[in-house]
Amino acid sequence: MTTLGERVKTERRAKGWSQAELAQRVTKAGYQITQGGIAQIERRGETEPKSIVQLAQALGVSVTWLQSTHGEKTAGVTVDNLQLSMLPSGGRAGTRPAAIPEPRQQLQVFASAQGGDEGAMTLSNEPVAWLPRDARLEGIDEAYACFVSGDSMEPAYEKGNILLVNPKAAVNPGDDGVFMREDKSGTRYVLVKRLVRRNESSWTVKQYNPPKTFTLSRKEWRKAHLVIGKYNRAS
């Protein structure tokens, strides 16, 4: 699977644009960036969540495809090209794919990028795409989906997966959760981990790649949202 930076470079070159010209087009779309910024994206393979919408617009591709290669290249999220992995109980990932839900009320999808301690991702403040709402999330206005941009939970969750999240359900030991903190600027940092245990002051969580168990302060990581499923690229 190619990186976001490689896809940006391929699309830019296919259009015959220099990095400076792409930077100008992204800036016109609403996100100020320089030629050096484009070079960094192509080299590092990632970009800030808040810039991905304008980057996709400038290149004429869908946000979903640019972030993960899922869906149609020039359209929004297309669930025909995804499969839903159900979590049979709590938040534990199952291996048996279930049917894609029929289109219902739309579920907002947030972009992500690596950007914090312990492999934390940063989430975009505005949705970059929409998905049909899973039946288990109906009536939950705060429910959302987000892209995975790291590899610390492989093989359960891989880069490019889209997680389905219920922020109203409790995360219990053995469940997978999105643990969130916000800084003073409003940037949202999240960790996708399995909860081992909890008390009034901390979450003890574990990851798979590399195997590691550690503690998060609940004063800092105030929110824990239950992961109920994920979208994979269909095989």
Side-chain angles (χ1 to χ4, degrees):
M1 179 178 174
T2 59
T3 67
L4 181 146
E6 290 169 339
R7 292 190 289 279
V8 168
K9 181 185 290 187
T10 297
E11 291 301 308
R12 175 180 63 78
R13 288 180 170 176
K15 291 174 170 55
W17 297 343
S18 66
Q19 291 177 336
E21 185 171 359
L22 177 56
Q24 291 175 353
R25 291 173 180 269
V26 174
T27 298
K28 287 181 180 179
Y31 181 81
Q32 189 167 358
I33 192 170
T34 64
Q35 178 273 328
I38 296 296
Q40 187 176 46
I41 290 170
E42 293 183 352
R43 182 173 62 253
R44 291 179 54 197
E46 293 185 345
T47 186
E48 295 182 73
K50 61 185 178 182
S51 71
I52 196 166
V53 173
Q54 291 81 9
L55 190 59
Q57 288 175 346
L59 290 169
V61 299
S62 74
V63 170
T64 306
W65 180 86
L66 186 60
Q67 175 104 34
S68 67
T69 70
H70 290 160
E72 295 294 333
K73 182 176 178 180
T74 57
V77 173
T78 303
V79 296
D80 291 343
N81 292 330
L82 303 173
Q83 66 183 30
L84 179 63
S85 294
M86 306 294 283
L87 304 188
S89 63
R92 300 188 180 187
T95 57
R96 179 175 59 85
I100 298 297
E102 293 294 324
R104 298 184 180 91
Q105 182 182 0
Q106 298 296 291
L107 185 70
Q108 56 190 349
V109 183
F110 294 99
S112 69
Q114 293 298 107
D117 297 335
E118 299 288 357
M121 304 184 298
T122 58
L123 287 189
S124 59
N125 289 322
E126 299 295 331
V128 298
W130 301 86
L131 285 172
R133 183 177 292 267
D134 182 272
R136 295 165 298 169
L137 297 177
E138 287 187 347
I140 304 172
D141 293 340
E142 300 87 347
Y144 63 92
C146 65
F147 284 97
V148 175
S149 59
D151 59 6
S152 67
M153 288 297 283
E154 290 184 353
Y157 306 115
E158 299 178 343
K159 186 179 294 187
N161 286 166
I162 300 175
L163 303 185
L164 305 178
V165 185
N166 182 350
K168 304 297 285 185
V171 180
N172 296 310
D175 291 343
D176 293 337
V178 174
F179 298 86
M180 184 181 297
R181 69 175 177 86
E182 295 186 22
D183 66 15
K184 293 181 179 179
S185 69
T187 300
R188 299 187 297 172
Y189 294 92
V190 299
L191 289 165
V192 180
K193 305 297 177 189
R194 177 156 295 181
L195 182 63
V196 176
R197 57 182 175 273
R198 65 188 179 195
N199 56 40
E200 292 183 356
S201 62
S202 65
W203 313 100
T204 299
V205 299
K206 71 176 181 180
Q207 65 181 41
Y208 303 135
N209 183 36
K212 180 180 179 181
T213 299
F214 56 97
T215 299
L216 302 173
S217 169
R218 293 183 70 162
K219 287 185 178 180
E220 183 178 9
W221 299 87
R222 295 178 178 271
K223 300 177 182 178
H225 300 163
L226 183 68
V227 177
I228 68 160
K230 66 177 180 179
Y231 282 110
N232 289 326
R233 187 166 33 177
S235 57

